Amino acid sequence: DLIYFFFFQESMHAYAANVYTTVIEELMKGKQRKFIAVEQEFFRLWWDMVATDTQKQQVHQLLQEGRLEFVIGGQVMHDEAVTLIDDQILQLTEGHGFLYETFGFRPQFSWHVDPFGASATTPTLFALAGFNAHLISRIDYDLKADMQKNKKLQFVWQGSPSLSERQEIFTHVMDQYSYCTPSHLPFSNRSGFFWNGFATFPDPPKDGVYPDMSLPVTDANLHLYAQTMVANIKERAAWFRTGDVLWPWGCDKQFFNASVQYSNMDLLVDYINKHSAEFGVTVQYATVSDYFQAIYNRNLTWEIRDSQDFLPYSTEPFQAWTGFYTSRSALKGIARRASSLLYAGESFFTQYVRKHPEGSVCKCKALKQLQSLRWAVSEVQHHDGITGTESPKVTDMYLNNLMYGMLNVKKLMASIIFDINTAKRNGEVYSSVYTKGSGKPDVDLYVVVYNPLAWNITTFVTVSVSSEAMGVYDELGYSVPAQVQSSVESQSTYDLYILVAISGLSYRKYSIKPLEGKQSAFIGSSIKYKRRDLTRADQRRPRLFPVVNNCYQIVFDQNTNLMHSITQRETNQTVQFTQEFLEYHVNGDTKEGPISDNYLFAPNASAVPVSKAVGLEVMSGSLMTEIRQYFYSNITSQDYIYAVYTRLYSVPEGYDGNLLCHRIEQEYSVGPLELNREAVLRTSTNLNTRQLLYTDNNGYQMQKRPFKAYVNNTVARNYYPIVQTAYIEDDTTRLMLLTERAHGVSSQGNGQVEVMLHRRLWNNLQFDVNNNLTLNDSSVVRPVIWLILGAKAVTNTLYRTSALALEHRPVVIFGALSGDKPKLPRGLQQDSARDLPVTVPPNLHLQTLSIPGWRYSSSHAQQVRSIRMGEQKQDDADFSRVLLRIRHLYEVGEDPVLSQPVTVDLQSLLKGLGSLKAVEERSLTGTWDVNTLERWKWRTAQYPGKKFFNSTEISEDFIVTVHPKEIRTFFVYFQDQ
């Protein structure tokens, strides 16, 4: 674990350690003092590495007294715009599991004060986790001003249209002062309320005098301080419906010297309360739950907000926070690859533990390997992590932790395969996750391909090989359809595309052999077209040629080497379809006007086309056609900065090629960019979309995005995040985009959709320069987008499963075969009960199948008792408890068939893992038994009642009915084998 914490030594030990050490000490000194703590990653590092036994006792006591409170309770305060729902759930579950196991504590309130805009997925997740209220801050400045004026900053939010009142949550939006104490003092030119000054770690000042330490409270200024505080409290009280004002005391990097904070705060609190008649105000230290309890006790009737989110977010007319949707695209891509590998590793390990109880892989070590990736994927969800709004040093930390965790999980999967196959231990295993593996030319290779989805899939995996003469064979020695062609990336290697058909949560093994003279894989043939000068193309008539599979005919124009149109063959409908790369030129000099940076996007004009010439090569074979387009700045340029590789698949008889056939796969190569350029791919069609765009919230639900005209900054304020899905449509036809990482997306014209793929910036804003937030990102990025074009009803049945098929592509693990032709190991013939696949219907998704390892009791009373008695289990992890989540992918009324509730027999679903002994339905993060979870019911005009139960019975024989958009969480226990 030492590798893992190398970066944290600096900021964590110095800053976070000081916070928790001094805050705990100060809380013990005064019964009236309170404190809220948010991110578990920092707390856990202090708890494990710094805290003494005495401090640990004190934390237990303070929690019991309600003077220390954990809010949110996840590993981090996650970003809401560019994160995937799976990863939000993971990081919440990680933090909640620790808090419950260690303290028996279950957070019930959020404190989402810093993410840049608010998603409608978040209130639903927090409701499912058992929260009573949600708190946010960063929403559009003009919207906040309006809500503040009309006392509408508090409401009951029904974040999911399908779950509506069942998973609604009371939501508080912080006023214009947000989450920091206002520091202006009318009676002094020094700031106020931040007596410990500004944190300078890891090098604190020798004399203990930090920058910007506030004016201390003295007899001389006590009254003036109190007046300032009371005036601000009264100003804020006018913006809310009750006389209870939440006054946050603190800000970023505060309380590292809690003694000086509390001693000054105490003086003020006591003085105001002694003179409360004069001031008309009483003040008290409070936690978030104290505040919400006070509001709840007022029993007012609240307005309902529907499922509309608060994205994008602007802080003033020229400050649209829509740049971070794309910032550090490489980090965004690796974070998602890591998440997908973790998902595969979890179900792979769970099946191994269940099916091979005598297996030789050490379970405790395996859990640590998974844990390293759980932590890395959790921490990068931070609102200054996957957002790309951190300094390069911190980006490197995230990347190192992700790579280390991925390596661990790949090693684990490889060792499990070895163990199951009882292979000769001298076979070398090295693995690669859906990157093109480098095969050794002189030996036979084998690849094990694992399908992590609970559906049967038919798709292609790619392996890099050294020669064209290749054969691919399955476990029984039969030839497998494959196509080999010269590689996009290097002159000396070839890409081998293997057609795999694998049932749910299962794997297949394929051997790849060089063949002398004879041929098994189809060889893709190449046609190179002359590079075309776009500046002269307008005068010529189009010279069209088609590329065809069973679903589409894509037509290219040889005069321009660009796409011209796509015909959807089932309906014979043709859509004009062109794509081009453009760049927004942006300003980096604050003297010249608004700037773009890691957070902000501030284009100073319309986007400019990047290329004056396009090269084209078509690789065609019987399974796939790949169209390679290279975009040059002029007709004589040597190098290209932009390329698109478009792939169209044809599936032979006997394979279910429905999803493969319907997707047009595009991979882009973008970079290195010039400075202060933001690169977009713009797709233009003749669909009459009225500039209406649809984008997803976190891969969970869709949001409608009508184009809005503003006085200033209209381009940037019409950018939205795409996490997994976006589409445009007219009355009959829809064009869907599915992505494997987050981007900014916009519709800047009728029938158009543009995706921002990369940014490279520099600016001289002092804050950005001081914190190294200038985003001078010179990388080349290679994002993938799948396009689906067709009638709305058809795309409806395809896009949910396709989005998940892109997210969870098969994991490919490589090995070399040594010596004779291997005899087929028994474990690979999937015929015994042990190898039954795990399969759910296409409108359900197996969200989680894992062994968390927590040692806490499912009975709350028992868990609290064992903690009080000091009897928590310190021994090995619990491998008997399996965490299962099932998610319904569709909204109510979205599709006549797929939007129906689905009844699942858990015994039948999991029969390959053994026979069920018990199933407990739990809250989203596992810490509540849903039958005992009573969330607060806030009164609304629609539902004036009070109490709130969201229990759903599991029938005796493990039958569960899953309704649209539900995410159901279970602990599953099996009979002993």
Side-chain angles (χ1 to χ4, degrees), residues 265-289:
M265 287 155 68
D266 284 351
L267 292 170
L268 264 172
V269 167
D270 293 346
Y271 183 82
I272 291 172
N273 288 338
K274 279 204 183 83
H275 300 86
S276 62
E278 172 193 343
F279 286 124
V281 163
T282 58
V283 291
Q284 68 180 67
Y285 287 109
T287 60
V288 181
S289 74

Side-chain angles (χ1 to χ4, degrees), residues 468 483-486 522-528 617-622 624-626:
E468 272 190 339
Q483 179 171 322
V484 66
Q485 58 198 36
S486 64
F522 301 107
I523 297 187
S525 58
S526 157
I527 304 173
K528 285 198 167 119
E617 181 181 8
V618 178
M619 304 292 306
S620 47
S622 52
M624 180 190 69
T625 305
E626 182 175 66

Side-chain angles (χ1 to χ4, degrees), residues 437 439 445 463-468 470 484 492-496 512:
L445 272 180
V463 179
S464 186
V465 292
S466 57
S467 107
E468 272 190 339
M470 282 289 163
V484 66
S492 59
T493 62
Y494 296 87
D495 291 337
L496 176 66
I512 301 169

Side-chain angles (χ1 to χ4, degrees), residues 103-339:
F103 306 111
F105 184 88
R106 301 180 284 198
Q108 290 192 274
F109 301 94
S110 94
W111 183 258
H112 253 230
V113 296
D114 212 18
F116 321 131
S119 159
T121 307
T122 316
T124 303
L125 289 192
F126 287 163
L128 288 167
F131 285 21
N132 287 320
H134 177 37
L135 186 148
I136 62 176
S137 181
R138 292 182 182 268
I139 65 170
D140 252 346
Y141 70 97
D142 40 5
L143 178 61
K144 182 179 276 200
D146 188 60
M147 291 166 77
Q148 195 169 277
K149 194 174 79 205
N150 296 307
K151 297 193 181 188
K152 296 201 173 196
L153 290 169
Q154 294 171 319
F155 46 84
V156 170
W157 196 355
Q158 296 182 350
S160 160
S162 295
L163 301 176
S164 66
E165 78 283 351
R166 288 188 299 139
Q167 300 300 344
E168 68 191 12
I169 193 166
F170 181 80
T171 304
H172 170 100
V173 183
M174 289 190 143
D175 60 43
Q176 68 189 43
Y177 290 105
S178 193
Y179 63 91
C180 292
T181 319
S183 60
H184 171 68
L185 296 178
F187 56 89
S188 165
N189 56 6
R190 279 172 72 181
S191 72
F193 304 103
F194 295 105
W195 296 282
N196 53 200
F198 185 77
T200 52
F201 292 109
D203 303 308
K206 298 274 181 286
D207 57 4
V209 179
Y210 286 83
D212 301 328
M213 290 175 81
S214 290
L215 189 66
V217 177
T218 60
D219 288 348
N221 64 25
L222 180 55
H223 186 74
L224 295 169
Y225 247 122
Q227 278 181 319
T228 304
M229 185 167 165
V230 167
N232 184 262
I233 290 168
K234 287 181 167 171
E235 179 188 13
R236 294 160 100 151
W239 299 328
F240 293 93
R241 290 179 57 199
T242 77
D244 314 288
V245 177
L246 185 153
W247 207 75
W249 212 324
C251 194
D252 295 352
K253 296 213 173 146
Q254 285 296 313
F255 284 91
F256 56 89
N257 179 355
S259 153
V260 64
Q261 280 295 108
Y262 277 110
S263 54
N264 282 280
M265 287 155 68
D266 284 351
L267 292 170
L268 264 172
V269 167
D270 293 346
Y271 183 82
I272 291 172
N273 288 338
K274 279 204 183 83
H275 300 86
S276 62
E278 172 193 343
F279 286 124
V281 163
T282 58
V283 291
Q284 68 180 67
Y285 287 109
T287 60
V288 181
S289 74
D290 293 334
Y291 173 70
F292 280 122
Q293 185 75 60
I295 303 292
Y296 184 63
N297 291 345
R298 301 266 182 183
N299 206 13
L300 299 181
T301 299
W302 299 97
E303 281 189 12
I304 289 174
R305 179 180 177 86
D306 66 9
S307 57
Q308 187 60 46
D309 64 5
F310 291 96
L311 289 164
Y313 161 62
S314 290
T315 37
E316 51 187 77
F318 283 104
Q319 291 191 347
W321 295 49
T322 56
F324 81 90
Y325 301 158
T326 306
S327 296
R328 300 206 189 285
S329 177
L331 174 66
K332 285 174 163 67
I334 286 172
R336 285 275 282 276
R337 274 232 303 285
S339 160

Side-chain angles (χ1 to χ4, degrees), residues 518-628:
K518 58 186 199 304
Q519 174 54 40
S520 149
F522 301 107
I523 297 187
S525 58
S526 157
I527 304 173
K528 285 198 167 119
Y529 292 84
K530 200 172 138 207
R531 195 186 292 189
R532 293 299 181 181
D533 187 340
L534 296 181
T535 55
R536 321 248 294 280
D538 291 348
Q539 302 101 33
R540 307 202 193 97
R541 265 215 345 269
R543 288 165 51 219
L544 306 178
F545 72 91
V547 174
V548 184
N549 74 355
N550 287 337
C551 298
Y552 300 109
Q553 170 175 284
I554 307 180
V555 174
F556 288 82
D557 180 357
Q558 282 180 56
N559 280 337
T560 59
N561 287 342
L562 295 174
M563 214 181 274
H564 174 271
S565 65
I566 300 179
T567 301
Q568 214 278 333
R569 294 184 64 190
E570 287 152 276
T571 57
N572 207 22
Q573 195 204 355
T574 299
V575 175
Q576 285 166 17
F577 197 98
T578 56
Q579 291 184 311
E580 60 178 336
F581 287 106
L582 302 99
E583 287 174 346
Y584 287 100
H585 293 205
V586 294
N587 168 46
D589 184 353
T590 51
K591 294 192 209 50
E592 302 285 312
I595 57 146
S596 269
D597 65 8
N598 297 48
Y599 310 88
L600 308 175
F601 172 39
N604 49 20
S606 299
V608 182
V610 292
S611 58
K612 297 203 166 59
V614 181
L616 178 70
E617 181 181 8
V618 178
M619 304 292 306
S620 47
S622 52
L623 298 178
M624 180 190 69
T625 305
E626 182 175 66
I627 302 101
R628 303 173 178 177

Side-chain angles (χ1 to χ4, degrees), residues 640-643 668-674 679 758 777-781:
Y640 58 88
I641 293 180
Y642 295 90
Y668 313 97
S669 177
V670 181
L673 301 178
E674 288 176 42
H758 204 10
D777 180 349
S778 58
S779 63
V780 176
V781 295

